[in-house]
Amino acid sequence: MINYTEKIPNNVDLGRDRVLQRALEHWQPAYMSWWYDMGPNESHNYDVYLRTAVSVEPDGWAQFDYVKMPEYRWGIFLQPRDEKRLVNFGIHKGQPAWQEVPGEYRSILRRIIVTQGDTEPASVEQQKMLGISCPSLYDLRNIFQVNVEEGRHLWAMVYLLHRYFGRDGREEAEALLARRSGDTDNPRILGAFNEPTPDWLAFYMFTFFTDRDGKFQLCALAESGFDPLSRTCRFMLTEEAHHMFVGETGVARIIQRTCEVMKENNVEDPSDVRALGVIDLQTIQRYLNFHYSVTLDLYGSDVSSNAANYFTSGLKGRFRETKLDDDHVLGEAEYPVSEVIGDKIVTKKVPALTALNERLRDDYIDEIADGVGRWQRVIDNAGVSFRLTLPRKGFHREIGNFAGRFISPEGEVLTQEAWKKHEIQWLPSAKDYAYVQSLMSGRVTEPGKFANWIAPPVRGINNQPLDFEYVRFN
Ligand SMILES: [Fe+2]
Ligand SMILES: [Fe+2]
């Protein structure tokens, strides 16, 4: 008999709920065998300087120590309950927030939780092989931190499935461990989570772009009238911030290193830049185009009756719902969405309720644009003349109004033939991937050393020095 209160740090009184304990007793070994199988390659014996959450208090969710990852304490934490919390939007607006699942919303709520939960193990699977080419111990530690926390996010969703959805929930929890990223027979649910993450530039782009989609989805679910979901997502968001930090600073450090080498050697041409063993800015732009566009698809169709239902039912709100100054019902409101008519992109107004995916995507794009602006400043400060740009929304999309269309990064509507001619300038090619991977043929393991293609960070983790031994290989 496992003492769950000890083994799984939690603030949900795990030790008192026998049904839940039995469900977890069954699921935990399956989770561990998934971790041994799909967690970071050959890492199981490493001692990693990790942050572990042991409570939701400010001093409790950031405890640092060396941990072997299979012994990481994947805990279950909900933000403390606010007894006065209400459903804040949709047709149930003003009712007390639900502490149990409303019967009529059971299946859609389960679907929402499963879809969110599925992304968590997927990203661990996508990143499995990257440890063998890490640019430093600092970066290796960071990817492992992201991986164990994605594991914890899976636990968070599985807790909700086990606690509130009975047998169906238990079956869904097992299926979450059975799907595999990129598998032809049993893939992960969403497209971007089946794309490979083949190198460290892709990893940083993924954590900047795709983990930020995670943030916006969690923010929308944190508004949910189903209170346990809201409280779970609120705590997950505290961890998500670090993942986006890893992505943003990772790309910024690559840009910085490239610019330094360009200036020192007075070169601009991409092939000259590559000859010096760093990643040319044009390739970074193509990676950006790819990760941005596949992540935009995660928000779903521009016009969606499902999105309207989620909102009207009080299950999934807008970004910062309670801070928005409107009726939170959206009976009359309109919202602009774009579509292709002839050879032009036109904007038209549709009922705001049906455009909630598009609205969340737009909120996301605003935040992305700020981050890309910070990358641009690294280039400007180095005195290099190059502009990073965000492609227009319609570029390289497979879901929504732009699916099946051929839009250039500047927003021109092209024929398939014309688009294909330029694809190699816009998206990473097999040659780009091969070049980037050629830089990452081995791992850098000497404390304080960094691969040639990336600058050191400004500071270490938890005030440790840069030459701290963040990972011990044993
Ligand atoms: Fe996550
Ligand atoms: Fe994340």
Side-chain angles (χ1 to χ4, degrees), residues 116 119-120 122-123 126-127 150 190-197 202-218 240 243-244 247 287-288 290-299 364 368 375:
Q116 177 61 41
T119 65
E120 315 290 356
S123 65
Q126 289 168 293
Q127 296 160 15
E150 300 307 3
L190 299 169
F193 292 91
N194 288 302
E195 298 284 348
T197 308
F203 167 68
Y204 298 127
M205 290 285 178
F206 185 96
T207 40
F208 177 79
F209 286 104
T210 310
D211 281 71
R212 193 178 313 273
D213 160 70
K215 169 189 164 172
F216 277 78
Q217 301 298 339
L218 292 176
E240 211 58 67
H243 307 178
M244 292 180 291
Y287 270 65
L288 180 161
F290 174 78
H291 286 271
Y292 178 58
S293 56
V294 300
T295 304
L296 288 185
D297 274 341
L298 289 174
Y299 291 83
Y364 166 82
I368 286 292
W375 290 342

Side-chain angles (χ1 to χ4, degrees), residues 325-339:
D325 187 19
D326 61 23
D327 68 359
H328 304 279
V329 180
L330 302 180
E332 308 286 305
E334 292 185 314
Y335 193 83
V337 298
S338 301
E339 64 180 349

